[in-house]
């Protein structure tokens, strides 16, 4: 098994793990694995075997892209949830402040 194939397999495994961690909202763990995956992906695309086109790597690359899109969707949804929570907290704080102001007047 060539180094390129090993790296592709590892990048795919890391992508699967990143999606799992995103689903569990384990952001810091996910971030660390993403850094590792980025280094591996850089080595994949720098590999002469990848540039010559010898070998069929398209399926694995498509899987990696699909998993990345899935992780991004999970993160986007979580971010939107945090934004909505922040808006509710701000509204609640404003209501409490208005009540306190009214109580002291």
């Amino acid at each position: 098994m060539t180094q390129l194939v090993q790296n592709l397999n590892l990048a795919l495994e890391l992508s699967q793990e990143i999606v799992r961690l995103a689903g569990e909202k384990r952001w810091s763990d996910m971030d660390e694995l993403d850094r590792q995956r980025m280094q591996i992906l850089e080595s994949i695309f720098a590999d002469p075997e990848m540039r010559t086109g010898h070998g069929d790597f398209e399926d694995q690359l498509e899987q990696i892209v699909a998993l990345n899109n899935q992780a991004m969707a999970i993160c986007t949804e979580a971010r939107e949830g945090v934004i909505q929570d922040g808006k509710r907290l701000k509204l609640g704080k404003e209501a409490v402040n208005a009540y306190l102001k009214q109580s002291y007047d």
Side-chain angles (χ1 to χ4, degrees):
M1 183 180 299
T2 68
Q3 185 64 45
L4 176 60
V5 172
Q6 289 176 352
N7 285 342
L8 281 165
N9 289 337
L10 183 55
L12 183 56
E13 290 172 14
L14 288 171
S15 297
Q16 292 165 339
E17 183 67 9
I18 287 168
V19 170
R20 186 184 70 74
L21 292 171
E24 295 174 2
K25 295 180 170 73
R26 293 176 50 194
W27 311 124
S28 60
D29 294 337
M30 188 183 90
D31 189 46
E32 177 58 34
L33 285 186
D34 189 48
R35 276 190 235 118
Q36 292 175 22
R37 183 182 64 162
M38 287 305 296
Q39 290 175 342
I40 292 166
L41 288 171
E42 287 173 6
S43 71
I44 287 170
F45 289 104
D47 192 302
E49 186 179 353
M50 178 62 88
R51 288 181 282 173
T52 60
H54 296 154
D56 184 20
F57 310 118
E58 189 172 331
D59 286 342
Q60 284 177 300
L61 292 172
E62 286 177 358
Q63 289 177 42
I64 292 167
V65 169
L67 288 165
N68 192 65
N69 289 340
Q70 188 177 350
M72 286 178 25
I74 293 168
C75 292
T76 299
E77 183 179 318
R79 183 186 71 209
E80 292 301 318
V82 168
I83 289 170
Q84 292 304 317
D85 289 346
K87 287 179 182 178
R88 282 191 292 277
L89 286 173
K90 182 180 177 189
L91 188 61
K93 181 180 176 183
E94 289 171 357
V96 168
N97 288 339
Y99 173 79
L100 291 174
K101 183 179 180 198
Q102 197 68 23
S103 296
Y104 290 116
D105 287 346

XYZ file of all heavy atoms in Angstrom:
839
model
N 0.853 -1.172 0.000
C 0.000 0.000 0.000
C 0.902 1.239 0.000
O 1.792 1.367 0.823
C -0.894 -0.020 1.243
C -1.867 1.126 1.300
S -2.944 1.135 2.760
C -3.831 -0.382 2.628
N 0.650 2.121 -0.925
C 1.485 3.321 -1.036
C 1.152 4.313 0.079
O 0.093 4.233 0.724
C 1.262 4.024 -2.388
O -0.067 4.560 -2.408
C 1.480 3.086 -3.568
N 2.058 5.246 0.282
C 1.846 6.289 1.284
C 0.597 7.108 0.956
O -0.167 7.482 1.846
C 3.075 7.200 1.381
C 2.973 8.235 2.493
C 2.911 7.590 3.869
O 3.668 6.672 4.188
N 1.977 8.055 4.687
N 0.366 7.355 -0.326
C -0.814 8.110 -0.737
C -2.096 7.395 -0.323
O -3.014 8.008 0.226
C -0.795 8.353 -2.244
C -2.021 9.051 -2.823
C -2.214 10.427 -2.197
C -1.913 9.153 -4.326
N -2.159 6.107 -0.575
C -3.354 5.329 -0.218
C -3.543 5.327 1.295
O -4.666 5.484 1.798
C -3.266 3.897 -0.787
C -4.397 3.027 -0.262
C -3.280 3.938 -2.310
N -2.463 5.184 2.037
C -2.548 5.230 3.498
C -3.067 6.581 3.967
O -3.919 6.661 4.857
C -1.178 4.952 4.119
C -0.725 3.523 3.988
C 0.681 3.310 4.539
O 1.384 4.258 4.896
N 1.098 2.054 4.587
N -2.564 7.655 3.365
C -3.004 8.996 3.739
C -4.477 9.228 3.386
O -5.205 9.852 4.152
C -2.121 10.060 3.086
C -0.767 10.167 3.755
O -0.574 9.723 4.872
N 0.177 10.763 3.058
N -4.899 8.730 2.236
C -6.304 8.855 1.860
C -7.203 8.111 2.850
O -8.243 8.630 3.271
C -6.533 8.334 0.445
C -6.127 9.278 -0.681
C -6.042 8.531 -2.004
C -7.099 10.441 -0.786
N -6.796 6.908 3.215
C -7.570 6.133 4.189
C -7.632 6.854 5.533
O -8.686 6.924 6.165
C -6.977 4.737 4.368
C -7.190 3.862 3.156
O -8.104 4.083 2.363
N -6.344 2.862 2.993
N -6.507 7.410 5.957
C -6.459 8.128 7.228
C -7.313 9.394 7.173
O -8.052 9.701 8.109
C -5.017 8.466 7.596
C -4.809 9.160 8.945
C -5.435 8.360 10.092
C -3.325 9.372 9.190
N -7.248 10.128 6.072
C -8.060 11.337 5.924
C -9.546 10.991 5.957
O -10.353 11.719 6.559
C -7.708 12.072 4.630
N -9.915 9.880 5.358
C -11.306 9.435 5.373
C -11.741 9.059 6.792
O -12.816 9.455 7.254
C -11.501 8.266 4.413
C -12.917 7.734 4.247
C -13.883 8.827 3.811
C -12.925 6.585 3.251
N -10.902 8.327 7.499
C -11.210 7.955 8.885
C -11.340 9.184 9.767
O -12.261 9.276 10.591
C -10.123 7.034 9.439
C -10.116 5.643 8.833
C -8.901 4.826 9.267
O -8.212 5.222 10.235
O -8.639 3.801 8.628
N -10.431 10.136 9.611
C -10.506 11.368 10.397
C -11.771 12.157 10.062
O -12.409 12.721 10.959
C -9.264 12.232 10.160
C -7.970 11.716 10.786
C -6.781 12.533 10.307
C -8.051 11.729 12.307
N -12.153 12.167 8.809
C -13.374 12.866 8.398
C -14.598 12.244 9.049
O -15.499 12.949 9.516
C -13.513 12.850 6.876
O -12.450 13.547 6.270
N -14.636 10.925 9.098
C -15.748 10.226 9.753
C -15.783 10.557 11.242
O -16.860 10.802 11.812
C -15.617 8.713 9.541
C -15.824 8.300 8.103
C -15.351 6.878 7.810
O -14.536 6.312 8.527
N -15.882 6.304 6.736
N -14.624 10.593 11.854
C -14.540 10.906 13.285
C -14.946 12.361 13.547
O -15.608 12.664 14.541
C -13.118 10.633 13.798
C -12.934 10.842 15.275
C -13.687 9.833 16.140
O -14.243 8.849 15.622
O -13.721 10.046 17.369
N -14.579 13.264 12.665
C -14.944 14.674 12.808
C -16.458 14.834 12.773
O -17.034 15.583 13.579
C -14.247 15.528 11.725
C -12.760 15.658 12.054
C -14.905 16.901 11.587
C -11.914 16.220 10.924
N -17.121 14.129 11.881
C -18.592 14.192 11.820
C -19.190 13.666 13.122
O -20.122 14.259 13.673
C -19.131 13.415 10.599
C -20.645 13.263 10.670
C -18.724 14.100 9.310
N -18.647 12.587 13.621
C -19.150 12.017 14.884
C -18.986 13.021 16.022
O -19.917 13.275 16.798
C -18.428 10.713 15.219
C -18.996 9.997 16.452
C -18.198 8.766 16.806
N -16.877 9.060 17.317
C -16.624 9.545 18.541
N -17.604 9.794 19.374
N -15.383 9.771 18.943
N -17.808 13.625 16.109
C -17.547 14.599 17.168
C -18.425 15.837 17.026
O -18.887 16.399 18.020
C -16.066 14.996 17.168
C -15.087 13.893 17.580
C -13.656 14.337 17.340
C -15.303 13.496 19.030
N -18.662 16.256 15.802
C -19.540 17.411 15.574
C -20.953 17.094 16.068
O -21.596 17.936 16.697
C -19.558 17.787 14.093
N -21.407 15.887 15.791
C -22.731 15.476 16.257
C -22.826 15.465 17.768
O -23.893 15.696 18.343
N -21.701 15.218 18.437
C -21.651 15.209 19.905
C -21.308 16.583 20.471
O -21.170 16.733 21.681
C -20.622 14.182 20.378
C -20.986 12.757 20.044
C -19.890 11.757 20.396
O -18.842 12.165 20.949
O -20.086 10.559 20.113
N -21.117 17.559 19.597
C -20.770 18.936 19.978
C -19.458 18.993 20.771
O -19.300 19.785 21.690
C -21.905 19.585 20.762
C -23.161 19.756 19.945
C -24.257 20.405 20.744
C -25.423 20.806 19.936
N -26.325 19.893 19.425
N -18.532 18.171 20.369
C -17.199 18.153 20.995
C -16.265 18.976 20.111
O -15.415 18.454 19.402
C -16.736 16.709 21.170
C -17.584 15.964 22.186
C -17.242 14.518 22.334
N -15.819 14.288 22.544
C -15.247 13.099 22.442
N -15.985 12.034 22.162
N -13.957 12.945 22.623
N -16.461 20.287 20.169
C -15.809 21.212 19.241
C -14.294 21.190 19.338
O -13.616 21.196 18.315
C -16.341 22.629 19.453
C -17.830 22.704 19.500
C -18.589 23.216 20.507
C -18.767 22.248 18.512
N -19.930 23.106 20.201
C -20.071 22.526 18.993
C -18.635 21.630 17.273
C -21.221 22.211 18.271
C -19.783 21.312 16.555
C -21.049 21.602 17.047
N -13.740 21.195 20.545
C -12.272 21.252 20.652
C -11.631 19.966 20.137
O -10.587 20.011 19.479
C -11.828 21.556 22.080
O -12.292 20.566 22.962
N -12.241 18.827 20.408
C -11.722 17.557 19.882
C -11.805 17.540 18.362
O -10.891 17.091 17.672
C -12.500 16.365 20.445
C -12.300 16.188 21.938
O -11.278 16.661 22.470
O -13.179 15.581 22.578
N -12.923 18.051 17.861
C -13.127 18.111 16.415
C -12.086 19.015 15.763
O -11.525 18.677 14.718
C -14.534 18.640 16.140
C -14.946 18.565 14.696
S -16.563 19.296 14.454
C -16.080 20.964 14.132
N -11.819 20.138 16.395
C -10.849 21.095 15.858
C -9.455 20.474 15.757
O -8.762 20.642 14.756
C -10.824 22.343 16.738
C -10.006 23.452 16.143
O -10.157 23.738 14.934
O -9.206 24.058 16.889
N -9.058 19.722 16.767
C -7.742 19.078 16.766
C -7.636 18.058 15.631
O -6.639 18.012 14.906
C -7.473 18.412 18.110
C -6.164 17.650 18.172
C -4.941 18.509 17.878
O -4.939 19.696 18.235
O -3.989 17.981 17.268
N -8.677 17.250 15.457
C -8.654 16.267 14.372
C -8.658 16.940 13.009
O -8.030 16.456 12.070
C -9.848 15.316 14.478
C -9.782 14.255 15.561
C -10.959 13.295 15.439
C -8.482 13.495 15.531
N -9.360 18.061 12.911
C -9.394 18.781 11.632
C -8.006 19.303 11.278
O -7.610 19.269 10.112
C -10.409 19.919 11.678
C -10.622 20.542 10.315
O -10.829 19.783 9.341
O -10.567 21.783 10.218
N -7.263 19.769 12.271
C -5.879 20.218 12.007
C -5.032 19.060 11.482
O -4.275 19.218 10.525
C -5.246 20.810 13.267
C -5.605 22.259 13.459
C -4.788 22.894 14.577
N -5.766 23.455 15.486
C -5.942 23.113 16.743
N -5.152 22.234 17.308
N -6.871 23.649 17.475
N -5.177 17.905 12.109
C -4.435 16.726 11.655
C -4.837 16.353 10.230
O -3.993 16.055 9.388
C -4.701 15.538 12.582
C -4.139 15.677 13.961
C -4.561 14.519 14.853
O -4.918 13.439 14.387
N -4.530 14.743 16.160
N -6.132 16.384 9.988
C -6.637 16.022 8.664
C -6.126 16.993 7.609
O -5.762 16.590 6.499
C -8.159 15.987 8.672
C -8.747 15.549 7.337
C -10.227 15.570 7.347
N -10.708 16.938 7.531
C -11.926 17.345 7.251
N -12.804 16.498 6.784
N -12.280 18.590 7.443
N -6.071 18.280 7.921
C -5.592 19.271 6.958
C -4.142 19.001 6.568
O -3.777 19.114 5.401
C -5.745 20.684 7.518
C -7.188 21.164 7.555
S -8.025 21.086 5.955
C -7.051 22.248 5.031
N -3.326 18.626 7.527
C -1.932 18.294 7.225
C -1.857 17.086 6.295
O -1.067 17.066 5.348
C -1.154 18.014 8.511
C -0.931 19.237 9.357
C -0.271 18.908 10.688
O -0.259 17.757 11.142
N 0.294 19.925 11.316
N -2.674 16.101 6.554
C -2.684 14.903 5.712
C -3.179 15.249 4.312
O -2.616 14.796 3.310
C -3.532 13.798 6.362
C -2.838 13.306 7.635
C -3.766 12.639 5.402
C -3.699 12.476 8.533
N -4.233 16.057 4.230
C -4.754 16.452 2.914
C -3.714 17.237 2.123
O -3.584 17.048 0.907
C -6.039 17.264 3.068
C -7.265 16.463 3.510
C -8.417 17.402 3.841
C -7.669 15.442 2.467
N -2.958 18.086 2.793
C -1.894 18.815 2.104
C -0.862 17.856 1.532
O -0.404 18.023 0.401
C -1.233 19.816 3.056
C -2.105 21.018 3.358
C -1.524 21.929 4.426
O -0.372 21.690 4.876
O -2.219 22.877 4.814
N -0.516 16.839 2.304
C 0.458 15.865 1.801
C -0.125 15.043 0.653
O 0.595 14.669 -0.270
C 0.964 14.955 2.922
O -0.037 14.064 3.346
N -1.418 14.783 0.706
C -2.073 14.033 -0.375
C -1.953 14.797 -1.685
O -1.571 14.245 -2.714
C -3.556 13.761 -0.030
C -3.648 12.687 1.062
C -4.351 13.352 -1.272
C -5.029 12.509 1.654
N -2.292 16.080 -1.655
C -2.295 16.855 -2.890
C -0.895 17.252 -3.344
O -0.714 17.640 -4.492
C -3.224 18.060 -2.760
C -4.659 17.641 -2.752
C -5.392 17.625 -1.579
C -5.275 17.207 -3.918
C -6.713 17.210 -1.565
C -6.595 16.780 -3.915
C -7.311 16.781 -2.739
N 0.086 17.098 -2.453
C 1.475 17.337 -2.845
C 2.135 16.065 -3.376
O 3.223 16.124 -3.962
C 2.267 17.865 -1.655
N 1.486 14.944 -3.204
C 2.051 13.654 -3.611
C 2.097 13.563 -5.138
O 1.089 13.775 -5.805
C 1.192 12.520 -3.047
C 1.857 11.166 -3.170
O 2.184 10.764 -4.311
O 2.041 10.506 -2.135
N 3.264 13.220 -5.695
C 3.382 13.097 -7.155
C 2.412 12.076 -7.752
O 1.930 12.260 -8.865
C 4.824 12.655 -7.366
C 5.539 12.994 -6.113
C 4.533 12.984 -5.023
N 2.124 11.029 -7.011
C 1.193 10.008 -7.503
C -0.202 10.610 -7.727
O -0.895 10.247 -8.680
C 1.108 8.849 -6.508
C 0.289 7.681 -7.004
C 0.237 6.533 -6.001
O 0.937 6.574 -4.969
O -0.516 5.586 -6.266
N -0.592 11.536 -6.883
C -1.896 12.183 -7.035
C -1.895 13.087 -8.272
O -2.854 13.135 -9.018
C -2.224 13.011 -5.782
C -3.537 13.764 -5.876
S -4.971 12.703 -6.045
C -5.341 12.411 -4.352
N -0.796 13.763 -8.482
C -0.712 14.699 -9.602
C -0.617 13.996 -10.958
O -1.044 14.547 -11.961
C 0.460 15.659 -9.411
C 0.168 16.677 -8.291
C 1.291 17.612 -8.129
N 2.321 16.896 -7.374
C 3.525 17.354 -7.153
N 3.890 18.503 -7.637
N 4.391 16.672 -6.445
N -0.075 12.794 -10.968
C 0.037 12.078 -12.243
C -1.277 11.416 -12.624
O -1.472 11.036 -13.773
C 1.136 10.996 -12.189
O 0.803 10.053 -11.169
C 2.499 11.595 -11.966
N -2.168 11.276 -11.658
C -3.473 10.695 -11.955
C -3.470 9.183 -12.015
O -4.443 8.585 -12.438
N -2.372 8.561 -11.610
C -2.335 7.098 -11.585
C -3.046 6.623 -10.329
O -2.697 6.995 -9.231
C -0.891 6.576 -11.590
C -0.165 6.935 -12.847
N 1.178 7.056 -12.911
C -0.604 7.222 -14.099
C 1.542 7.384 -14.128
N 0.476 7.502 -14.865
N -4.049 5.841 -10.524
C -4.830 5.356 -9.389
C -6.193 6.008 -9.383
O -6.389 7.088 -9.927
N -7.122 5.331 -8.773
C -8.485 5.837 -8.708
C -8.763 6.297 -7.286
O -9.075 5.491 -6.417
C -9.475 4.743 -9.126
C -10.897 5.243 -9.165
O -11.102 6.471 -9.256
O -11.803 4.407 -9.095
N -8.614 7.594 -7.074
C -8.777 8.159 -5.739
C -10.045 9.007 -5.629
O -10.340 9.546 -4.579
C -7.561 9.012 -5.378
C -6.260 8.290 -5.606
C -5.333 8.771 -6.505
C -5.972 7.127 -4.924
C -4.133 8.107 -6.714
C -4.785 6.449 -5.129
C -3.853 6.939 -6.033
N -10.777 9.105 -6.718
C -11.930 10.001 -6.773
C -13.002 9.626 -5.740
O -13.560 10.504 -5.083
C -12.532 10.005 -8.174
C -13.589 11.067 -8.367
C -14.035 11.167 -9.812
O -13.246 10.873 -10.725
O -15.197 11.530 -10.001
N -13.279 8.341 -5.583
C -14.319 7.917 -4.638
C -13.981 8.347 -3.213
O -14.838 8.877 -2.507
C -14.519 6.403 -4.685
C -15.251 5.943 -5.932
O -15.895 6.787 -6.597
O -15.167 4.745 -6.249
N -12.748 8.107 -2.809
C -12.355 8.489 -1.450
C -12.398 10.000 -1.268
O -12.855 10.491 -0.236
C -10.956 7.967 -1.115
C -10.947 6.475 -0.826
C -9.552 5.983 -0.565
O -8.686 6.103 -1.413
N -9.341 5.438 0.618
N -11.937 10.740 -2.262
C -11.971 12.195 -2.161
C -13.403 12.710 -2.082
O -13.698 13.631 -1.311
C -11.222 12.829 -3.335
C -9.712 12.615 -3.334
C -9.109 13.110 -4.639
C -9.062 13.304 -2.140
N -14.293 12.114 -2.854
C -15.706 12.519 -2.802
C -16.307 12.220 -1.435
O -17.098 13.007 -0.918
C -16.498 11.825 -3.905
C -16.234 12.390 -5.285
C -16.978 11.654 -6.390
O -17.695 10.667 -6.101
O -16.837 12.071 -7.548
N -15.938 11.094 -0.850
C -16.429 10.754 0.495
C -15.923 11.760 1.519
O -16.675 12.184 2.403
C -15.989 9.345 0.887
C -16.694 8.246 0.131
C -16.156 6.881 0.522
O -15.913 6.616 1.693
N -15.955 6.017 -0.452
N -14.655 12.136 1.400
C -14.073 13.117 2.320
C -14.803 14.452 2.189
O -15.154 15.084 3.196
C -12.556 13.271 2.074
C -11.830 11.986 2.492
C -12.001 14.483 2.814
C -10.386 11.893 2.028
N -15.069 14.878 0.967
C -15.783 16.141 0.739
C -17.200 16.051 1.312
O -17.670 16.990 1.971
C -15.802 16.496 -0.765
C -16.756 17.641 -1.051
C -14.395 16.844 -1.241
N -17.884 14.943 1.075
C -19.252 14.780 1.581
C -19.281 14.812 3.110
O -20.158 15.453 3.713
C -19.860 13.484 1.060
N -18.333 14.134 3.732
C -18.259 14.144 5.191
C -17.940 15.546 5.713
O -18.484 15.983 6.733
C -17.214 13.139 5.683
C -17.614 11.673 5.529
C -16.397 10.765 5.687
C -18.701 11.304 6.529
N -17.064 16.250 5.014
C -16.742 17.614 5.414
C -17.986 18.500 5.335
O -18.242 19.305 6.239
C -15.629 18.173 4.526
C -15.066 19.445 5.073
O -14.471 19.455 6.139
N -15.252 20.543 4.345
N -18.755 18.349 4.273
C -19.993 19.120 4.128
C -20.980 18.791 5.245
O -21.665 19.673 5.759
C -20.622 18.880 2.761
C -19.826 19.515 1.639
O -19.027 20.421 1.846
N -20.028 19.022 0.430
N -21.023 17.528 5.611
C -21.913 17.098 6.697
C -21.483 17.741 8.019
O -22.327 18.251 8.770
C -21.889 15.577 6.794
C -22.903 14.997 7.737
C -22.871 13.470 7.734
O -22.233 12.834 6.911
N -23.574 12.875 8.679
N -20.186 17.732 8.298
C -19.676 18.351 9.529
C -19.954 19.855 9.529
O -20.347 20.425 10.553
C -18.181 18.078 9.684
N -19.763 20.499 8.387
C -20.021 21.937 8.298
C -21.495 22.237 8.545
O -21.828 23.233 9.207
C -19.573 22.472 6.942
C -18.065 22.572 6.825
S -17.409 23.143 5.238
C -18.661 24.104 4.508
N -22.374 21.403 8.041
C -23.811 21.608 8.254
C -24.155 21.485 9.735
O -24.943 22.283 10.266
C -24.615 20.610 7.424
N -23.570 20.519 10.405
C -23.797 20.344 11.845
C -23.304 21.575 12.598
O -23.990 22.096 13.485
C -23.110 19.064 12.366
C -23.789 17.829 11.777
C -23.133 19.012 13.892
C -23.020 16.536 11.997
N -22.121 22.052 12.238
C -21.549 23.229 12.900
C -22.388 24.477 12.650
O -22.609 25.282 13.557
C -20.110 23.459 12.431
S -18.962 22.185 12.980
N -22.869 24.641 11.431
C -23.699 25.793 11.093
C -24.996 25.771 11.900
O -25.423 26.797 12.436
C -24.002 25.823 9.584
O -22.765 25.939 8.880
C -24.915 26.966 9.211
N -25.593 24.604 11.991
C -26.829 24.465 12.768
C -26.574 24.794 14.242
O -27.373 25.498 14.874
C -27.368 23.047 12.625
C -28.686 22.818 13.326
C -29.197 21.401 13.127
O -29.095 20.881 12.007
O -29.706 20.832 14.102
N -25.469 24.305 14.781
C -25.138 24.582 16.179
C -24.871 26.074 16.388
O -25.306 26.648 17.391
C -23.920 23.761 16.603
N -24.186 26.689 15.437
C -23.897 28.126 15.543
C -25.196 28.926 15.545
O -25.367 29.850 16.331
C -23.002 28.576 14.394
C -22.615 30.055 14.497
C -21.855 30.529 13.297
N -22.792 30.590 12.188
C -22.460 30.429 10.916
N -21.234 30.196 10.578
N -23.373 30.502 9.972
N -26.130 28.555 14.670
C -27.419 29.240 14.634
C -28.154 29.080 15.961
O -28.800 30.009 16.438
C -28.269 28.724 13.472
C -27.734 29.097 12.108
C -27.617 30.594 11.892
O -28.540 31.341 12.290
O -26.589 31.023 11.339
N -28.048 27.906 16.552
C -28.662 27.681 17.861
C -28.062 28.570 18.928
O -28.781 29.130 19.762
N -26.756 28.729 18.897
C -26.075 29.594 19.866
C -26.499 31.046 19.659
O -26.747 31.778 20.628
C -24.536 29.442 19.757
C -23.814 30.520 20.542
C -24.110 28.056 20.225
N -26.614 31.459 18.414
C -27.051 32.830 18.124
C -28.458 33.055 18.670
O -28.738 34.084 19.303
C -26.977 33.113 16.604
C -25.516 33.203 16.158
C -27.741 34.389 16.251
C -25.323 33.236 14.652
N -29.351 32.100 18.439
C -30.724 32.228 18.940
C -30.754 32.242 20.469
O -31.501 33.020 21.072
C -31.607 31.097 18.394
C -31.851 31.173 16.904
C -32.459 32.496 16.478
O -33.366 33.026 17.104
N -31.927 33.059 15.405
N -29.930 31.399 21.100
C -29.844 31.398 22.559
C -29.364 32.750 23.062
O -29.874 33.273 24.064
C -28.896 30.296 23.052
C -29.474 28.902 22.879
O -30.695 28.781 22.622
O -28.694 27.934 22.999
N -28.384 33.321 22.382
C -27.868 34.637 22.766
C -28.934 35.713 22.655
O -29.037 36.588 23.532
N -29.736 35.649 21.622
C -30.821 36.625 21.462
C -31.842 36.487 22.583
O -32.335 37.488 23.117
C -31.495 36.444 20.096
C -30.645 36.921 18.939
C -31.354 36.693 17.614
C -30.481 37.141 16.444
N -31.134 36.895 15.146
N -32.163 35.238 22.942
C -33.122 35.023 24.031
C -32.553 35.522 25.353
O -33.267 36.134 26.152
C -33.493 33.545 24.120
C -34.501 33.105 23.076
C -35.042 31.702 23.360
N -34.054 30.660 23.194
C -33.728 30.098 22.032
N -34.330 30.485 20.923
N -32.835 29.137 21.975
N -31.271 35.282 25.585
C -30.651 35.766 26.820
C -30.651 37.287 26.880
O -30.927 37.882 27.929
C -29.215 35.239 26.933
C -29.072 33.775 27.297
C -27.607 33.345 27.198
C -29.594 33.518 28.705
N -30.353 37.912 25.757
C -30.343 39.376 25.710
C -31.739 39.921 25.994
O -31.897 40.871 26.765
C -29.854 39.856 24.347
C -29.780 41.353 24.238
C -29.289 41.800 22.880
C -29.298 43.316 22.813
N -29.042 43.810 21.483
N -32.738 39.308 25.397
C -34.115 39.738 25.614
C -34.505 39.539 27.078
O -35.137 40.413 27.681
C -35.050 38.965 24.686
C -36.498 39.412 24.641
C -36.587 40.863 24.157
C -37.289 38.513 23.712
N -34.110 38.417 27.649
C -34.391 38.151 29.064
C -33.706 39.153 29.965
O -34.292 39.642 30.936
N -32.474 39.492 29.649
C -31.729 40.467 30.438
C -32.400 41.833 30.366
O -32.519 42.538 31.372
C -30.289 40.567 29.936
C -29.427 41.527 30.711
C -28.019 41.580 30.157
C -27.210 42.633 30.896
N -25.868 42.766 30.337
N -32.839 42.196 29.174
C -33.527 43.479 29.008
C -34.823 43.498 29.814
O -35.163 44.520 30.416
C -33.803 43.747 27.529
C -32.559 44.061 26.739
C -32.782 44.112 25.238
O -33.916 43.835 24.769
O -31.809 44.418 24.519
N -35.537 42.389 29.838
C -36.780 42.310 30.607
C -36.502 42.438 32.095
O -37.216 43.145 32.814
C -37.508 40.999 30.302
N -35.461 41.756 32.571
C -35.098 41.846 33.991
C -34.693 43.281 34.337
O -35.127 43.834 35.362
C -33.956 40.853 34.334
C -33.374 41.144 35.711
C -34.477 39.429 34.261
N -33.881 43.894 33.492
C -33.466 45.279 33.744
C -34.662 46.227 33.769
O -34.731 47.131 34.605
C -32.438 45.733 32.715
C -31.091 45.087 32.931
O -30.785 44.614 34.031
N -30.276 45.055 31.890
N -35.600 46.027 32.852
C -36.797 46.866 32.817
C -37.625 46.662 34.089
O -38.140 47.631 34.675
C -37.628 46.546 31.580
N -37.740 45.421 34.524
C -38.488 45.137 35.763
C -37.811 45.789 36.952
O -38.471 46.410 37.788
C -38.596 43.623 35.962
C -39.188 43.248 37.281
C -40.576 43.307 37.482
C -38.400 42.853 38.349
C -41.130 42.985 38.693
C -38.950 42.522 39.583
C -40.313 42.603 39.750
O -40.876 42.279 40.960
N -36.468 45.629 37.031
C -35.750 46.223 38.158
C -35.880 47.743 38.161
O -36.059 48.356 39.220
C -34.277 45.798 38.128
C -34.002 44.327 38.428
C -32.521 44.018 38.217
C -34.425 43.988 39.861
N -35.782 48.317 37.003
C -35.910 49.778 36.885
C -37.296 50.205 37.344
O -37.449 51.185 38.076
C -35.660 50.242 35.457
C -35.721 51.720 35.302
C -35.442 52.146 33.886
C -35.537 53.658 33.842
N -35.701 54.170 32.519
N -38.317 49.471 36.925
C -39.699 49.784 37.304
C -39.881 49.618 38.804
O -40.598 50.383 39.429
C -40.648 48.857 36.530
C -42.064 49.314 36.520
C -42.236 50.588 35.700
O -41.467 50.918 34.828
N -43.293 51.297 36.007
N -39.231 48.601 39.391
C -39.370 48.331 40.831
C -38.763 49.434 41.674
O -39.240 49.707 42.761
C -38.681 47.010 41.174
O -39.324 45.946 40.536
N -37.692 50.034 41.175
C -37.001 51.068 41.960
C -37.580 52.456 41.700
O -37.209 53.389 42.377
C -35.515 51.058 41.651
C -34.810 49.827 42.202
C -34.221 48.909 41.368
C -34.779 49.595 43.572
C -33.596 47.781 41.864
C -34.158 48.469 44.088
C -33.564 47.578 43.225
O -32.948 46.461 43.723
N -38.438 52.589 40.738
C -39.028 53.902 40.453
C -40.205 54.204 41.331
O -40.838 53.582 41.984
C -39.467 54.003 38.987
C -38.250 54.126 38.057
O -37.154 54.394 38.551
O -38.448 53.929 36.842
